[in-house]
Amino acid sequence: MKKHRYFLFAACAALAGCGLFLWMSSAVNRPFAHLDSADLACVTVRLSPPDKTLLIPEPGQLVEYLKDTVIYQRDDSYQDYCGQAVTFSLTMADGSQTSVMAFSPFLVIDGVGYRTKHEPCEALNRYANKLLNDPAAPVILEDPPALAVVSGDTSLGALLGSYQWQRKADGDSFENILSDSPHPLDCGELLSPLDTGEQTAVLRFAEAPDEILNARCWSEADLGSPDAVGQPVVLRGNEIELQPGGYIYEVHAAWAPESGYGGTASYSFYVKSTW
């Protein structure tokens, strides 16, 4: 009788062990275990902050990191957290797309959040930031970068004007965009003045241009008169000399479309200098 009970107990323990194994197998998942570099046609990563997108031409190392990722139960509470999000966009060879956001302790796949193992998720974050700090990493500029004008302790966002821009489309094709805007002197209602006592201002682009082509300015008295003749502004790198008094400034800059994205854009801003 005791022997019978022993075998019954052993059988129950074995069944319980199998159940635990099956539960663990269903609770732990490696969603990219079978991913291969040959499956990928194009890969990009966006880091927020600083809201910058990079092209990953050689995704082999990324594939290895993705293979190591482990997800557990679904959890969409990542939306309540703050911090840097790193989002990889994978375009597969068959044209399908998948997005993977590493936001430890979460991995968000195509908008669905999961609890994840910390180390592989953190490895994805480090990998993306290493690319961000690599000056040779191709930057994807879907649109002309924003410009902030800084003078002393004050700064102001510039108004984007006309631009010609190129974007990479499907395959090897490109999309060319031509956007026209009113003359800066017709944008008085959109230009808030930056007040400064400095003689110079620094142009801080979200992504530095390959070249600042030129800069000119008009007296604030010319607002509403787009036929007024502007005067050239002295440029030293990304620094401009300011005129005393109130002036409307316009800057033209260019980004070489080496990675399939780039073009030229104009920006305008209003500065009142009391030097």
Side-chain angles (χ1 to χ4, degrees):
M1 187 68 176
K2 289 183 178 180
K3 193 173 183 180
H4 177 73
R5 288 179 179 175
Y6 172 78
F7 281 117
L8 182 61
F9 175 79
C12 290
L15 287 172
C18 289
L20 179 62
F21 174 78
L22 291 173
W23 178 84
M24 291 179 66
S25 298
S26 63
V28 178
N29 185 16
R30 294 181 181 271
F32 301 103
H34 303 294
L35 183 66
D36 190 275
S37 297
D39 300 330
L40 301 172
C42 180
V43 182
T44 64
V45 59
R46 182 168 180 80
L47 298 94
S48 302
D51 298 328
K52 185 174 289 190
T53 304
L54 306 173
L55 179 67
I56 305 177
E58 300 293 337
Q61 188 174 9
L62 171 63
V63 168
E64 295 306 312
Y65 287 137
L66 288 172
K67 284 183 175 181
D68 290 338
T69 57
V70 175
I71 59 175
Y72 304 108
Q73 74 275 17
R74 177 170 176 171
D75 187 341
D76 289 323
S77 65
Y78 70 89
Q79 301 174 61
D80 301 327
Y81 285 67
C82 295
Q84 186 190 52
V86 171
T87 304
F88 298 92
S89 296
L90 314 178
T91 301
M92 314 306 284
D94 62 5
S96 60
Q97 294 182 326
T98 297
S99 69
V100 183
M101 182 172 75
F103 191 44
S104 189
F106 303 95
L107 199 69
V108 184
I109 303 174
D110 293 332
V112 179
Y114 301 90
R115 285 281 174 170
T116 188
K117 190 175 181 180
H118 173 73
E119 289 79 7
C121 188
E122 189 61 24
L124 287 171
N125 187 281
R126 287 195 301 269
Y127 170 76
N129 278 279
K130 184 178 179 181
L131 288 176
L132 178 65
N133 295 320
D134 182 356
V139 178
I140 292 179
L141 297 173
E142 293 281 354
D143 299 291
L147 167 62
V149 181
V150 182
S151 183
D153 296 328
T154 59
S155 66
L156 185 73
L159 179 67
L160 176 62
S162 300
Y163 61 88
Q164 289 182 295
W165 209 253
Q166 176 182 287
R167 296 175 185 164
K168 196 170 183 179
D170 295 334
D172 295 325
S173 61
F174 296 91
E175 177 185 8
N176 291 295
I177 301 164
L178 178 62
S179 177
D180 198 13
S181 71
H183 191 282
L185 294 177
D186 283 332
C187 297
E189 294 182 356
L190 302 175
L191 298 172
S192 299
L194 182 152
D195 295 308
T196 180
E198 304 293 327
Q199 298 183 26
T200 61
V202 175
L203 306 176
R204 290 186 180 170
F205 292 89
E207 181 63 30
D210 293 287
E211 183 181 4
I212 298 178
L213 301 173
N214 57 65
R216 57 179 177 167
C217 66
W218 300 264
S219 169
E220 61 185 356
D222 293 326
L223 279 169
S225 303
D227 293 330
V229 178
Q231 61 187 81
V233 173
V234 176
L235 272 167
R236 288 187 294 270
N238 65 335
E239 183 180 76
I240 63 170
E241 285 190 4
L242 299 174
Q243 297 293 326
Y247 276 79
I248 312 301
Y249 295 80
E250 184 181 46
V251 172
H252 289 84
W255 291 260
E258 294 178 353
S259 58
Y261 301 82
T264 59
S266 66
Y267 302 81
S268 56
F269 49 94
Y270 184 7
V271 179
K272 288 187 175 183
S273 181
T274 57
W275 65 271

